[in-house]
Amino acid sequence: MILKRLLAFGLLCLFAVSCATAQQKKPHPKKPNIIMLISDDTGWGDLGVYGGGAGRGMPTPNLDRLAKEGMQFWDFYGQPSCTPGRAAMITGRIPNRSGMTTVAFQGQGGGLPAPEWTLASVLKQANYKTYFSGKWHLGEADYAMPIAHGFDKMQNVVLYHLNAYTYAFQSWNPDMDPQVLAVFKKVTTGILEGEAGGKAREVSKVTEENIAELDNMMTENVLKQLDTYAKGSDPFFMCVNFAKNHQPNLPSKAFKGKSPAGSKYGDCVMEMDHNVGRVMDKVRALGISEKTIVIYTVDNGAWQDVHPDAGYTPFRGSKGTDREGGSRVPAIAWWPGQIKAGSDSHDIVGGLDLMATFASLAGVSLPTKDREGKPMVFDSYDMSNVLFNEGKPLRNTWYYFTEAELSPGAVRVGHFKAVYNTRGDNGAQAGSDAPGQQLGWRGDETYVATVPAIYDIWQDPQERYDIFMTSFTEKTWTAILFNQAYADIMKSYVQYPPRPLQSETYTGPMEITRFRNLQEAKKLLESKGFQLPDDLKPKQ
């Protein structure tokens, strides 16, 4: 009798657990509309829900509402600068796999390699309509354009960081030689539009008169495109990229002088928030909220080097460093009826994970070969468990890279972080009246000797206290975790070699001895029948 009762009780418990699991893993609408809203260089602490907003003289009611109606992320990562941040989001791969590791300037050509998959080209496998607008910053070549990478249509596209356009403004650079100025004017591509299968068209130049209005012009076309998509039955993907808040922050006429802070940066934060609100109001008005997921985030951490024309981060370091301040960014996910309103996530996730997440929502598998049929790997993890609170996150590790690093300059595993590259190391020090070269992106890349600095990101998010072997809290045992994570990423390069760099960067001094050794090695290889090219230019 007792055995029967125990068996019955056990079956009842199993049934209860099964029911709970079934309730937890509820079905979600397939192939939702997907809207990405990306702002540029916006600081982790700029938005009201992150402790900024009205408290810093720049109210952000629309983004605050988005967070209150959706999920706010606290441990979300971009990359340390613009081009790698955008490449990571659009490809789902760490930037050095695609060769998009450093900021691209006008006149360099090249760009996102043709064989790379993008969010758009993957979603096209699920019959999504795809649209790109705003800042691209992934190259100038025809093969690197959005419409060559899965987007059906692109509008209001600008190819560079905002201040690159000012190089061609004589009033901004009166000391520039006229011949140099003429070169910049010639090589600086203006505002582009186009359709898949065709070439990008320049519809106008970026001028001193319209540079401040770029986001407003873009938002007008985004709203019109939403009207068009809402009339159809196909799911759509829109990638909307604001020029704000990259330096120089130039508010539009409607927002100039309107922030309580009285700063151009504050004005531009309010303008960016306003345009986010316009897009969200249109989504709500069209009645497509329940079948549309919206993701807001930023490409990289705040650029402290150009303070005060920069966002705020409470973390150590700046854009361009492997410190938390270089990569930790604000992020919000919104999907009424699917993502719990007012929820928070402290899981390790990032822009890299949008690829696997969107593919999962669309019901397609990630490719195992690139668009030319060669084996490839993604660094993206499906965030669905996090978004819908349906289990443990798939990611527990994050790798940090500056523009020239193949091996990561820092690694986070769980709530511990190992730092090898101490660029921007003095960024935690107080008492300086101005940002010095050694504080941020312009600082030297210096590496630790023998062992890394270890930080507990939960207890010490500012990375101030190295606990590797310093008192009773020493955490030398974490070296095993980091060595394994380090080995995993390095092994992947052997199986999946990175592509050539697609834009210029300084890779260290070319010493005479090193040059001579390379030349001797080349001669030796050629004597054995191996022919090496003299000019190793980036290939598409």
Side-chain angles (χ1 to χ4, degrees), residues 375-394:
M376 68 173 296
V377 65
F378 289 94
D379 302 287
S380 187
Y381 289 83
D382 184 1
M383 297 191 300
S384 296
N385 284 357
V386 174
L387 292 173
F388 307 128
N389 191 27
E390 293 179 345
K392 294 183 178 180
L394 301 181

Side-chain angles (χ1 to χ4, degrees), residues 248-481:
N249 278 276
L250 302 170
S252 65
K253 293 178 181 178
F255 282 87
K256 190 173 182 179
K258 294 299 176 64
S259 67
S263 68
K264 290 183 178 179
Y265 188 85
D267 295 346
C268 287
V269 167
M270 289 179 59
E271 179 185 333
M272 184 271 293
D273 177 80
H274 173 72
N275 282 322
V276 168
R278 294 173 68 195
V279 174
M280 294 308 303
D281 287 345
K282 174 63 75 171
V283 170
R284 296 181 183 105
L286 290 171
I288 58 174
S289 297
E290 293 187 358
K291 57 180 180 180
T292 302
I293 181 171
V294 177
I295 301 286
Y296 164 80
T297 190
V298 182
D299 50 358
N300 51 255
W303 194 5
Q304 297 296 283
D305 292 336
V306 296
H307 179 83
D309 194 20
Y312 167 72
T313 178
F315 304 111
R316 188 172 186 173
S318 169
K319 175 181 180 178
T321 74
D322 288 324
R323 295 295 189 180
E324 289 296 285
S327 296
R328 188 91 72 100
V329 296
I332 300 166
W334 179 93
W335 189 1
Q338 305 301 321
I339 296 174
K340 183 180 178 182
S343 56
D344 295 278
S345 170
H346 294 274
D347 299 308
I348 301 173
V349 288
L352 278 170
D353 299 323
L354 298 176
M355 174 64 85
T357 306
F358 292 171
S360 174
L361 295 175
V364 296
S365 299
L366 290 180
T368 57
K369 296 182 178 180
D370 69 17
R371 294 169 73 188
E372 292 182 348
K374 296 179 181 178
M376 68 173 296
V377 65
F378 289 94
D379 302 287
S380 187
Y381 289 83
D382 184 1
M383 297 191 300
S384 296
N385 284 357
V386 174
L387 292 173
F388 307 128
N389 191 27
E390 293 179 345
K392 294 183 178 180
L394 301 181
R395 179 187 288 285
N396 192 44
T397 302
W398 191 264
Y399 297 104
Y400 307 71
F401 302 90
T402 57
E403 60 274 4
E405 289 179 329
L406 184 62
S407 59
V411 180
R412 178 176 174 180
V413 179
H415 57 92
F416 291 106
K417 180 178 179 181
V419 176
Y420 307 92
N421 178 2
T422 58
R423 174 193 278 184
D425 195 49
N426 292 329
Q429 295 182 356
S432 174
D433 292 329
Q437 181 173 339
Q438 77 280 9
L439 301 186
W441 197 354
R442 295 172 294 165
D444 296 334
E445 284 197 303
T446 55
Y447 289 85
V448 296
T450 310
V451 296
I454 302 294
Y455 303 94
D456 185 335
I457 296 299
W458 281 1
Q459 297 188 54
D460 177 26
Q462 291 183 317
E463 301 170 271
R464 298 177 66 188
Y465 305 101
D466 176 7
I467 56 174
F468 188 79
M469 50 176 66
T470 54
S471 81
F472 71 95
T473 64
E474 62 93 7
K475 292 292 184 291
T476 52
W477 59 267
T478 60
I480 299 172
L481 300 176

Side-chain angles (χ1 to χ4, degrees), residues 177-245:
D177 184 279
Q179 292 182 330
V180 177
L181 182 66
V183 169
F184 272 113
K185 287 184 177 180
K186 182 179 180 179
V187 300
T188 302
T189 303
I191 302 169
L192 299 174
E193 64 178 29
E195 297 78 32
K199 286 192 174 184
R201 302 181 298 274
E202 185 179 73
V203 293
S204 72
K205 292 292 186 182
V206 175
T207 66
E208 293 180 77
E209 290 71 31
N210 68 19
I211 190 170
E213 305 294 333
L214 291 177
D215 283 355
N216 288 335
M217 294 188 293
M218 177 191 72
T219 304
E220 288 294 333
N221 282 325
V222 168
L223 299 182
K224 292 175 184 176
Q225 190 62 47
L226 276 168
D227 280 328
T228 300
Y229 280 151
K231 294 174 184 176
S233 57
D234 292 327
F236 62 82
F237 167 55
M238 301 183 74
C239 188
V240 180
N241 299 263
F242 299 101
K244 302 314 194 274
N245 298 95

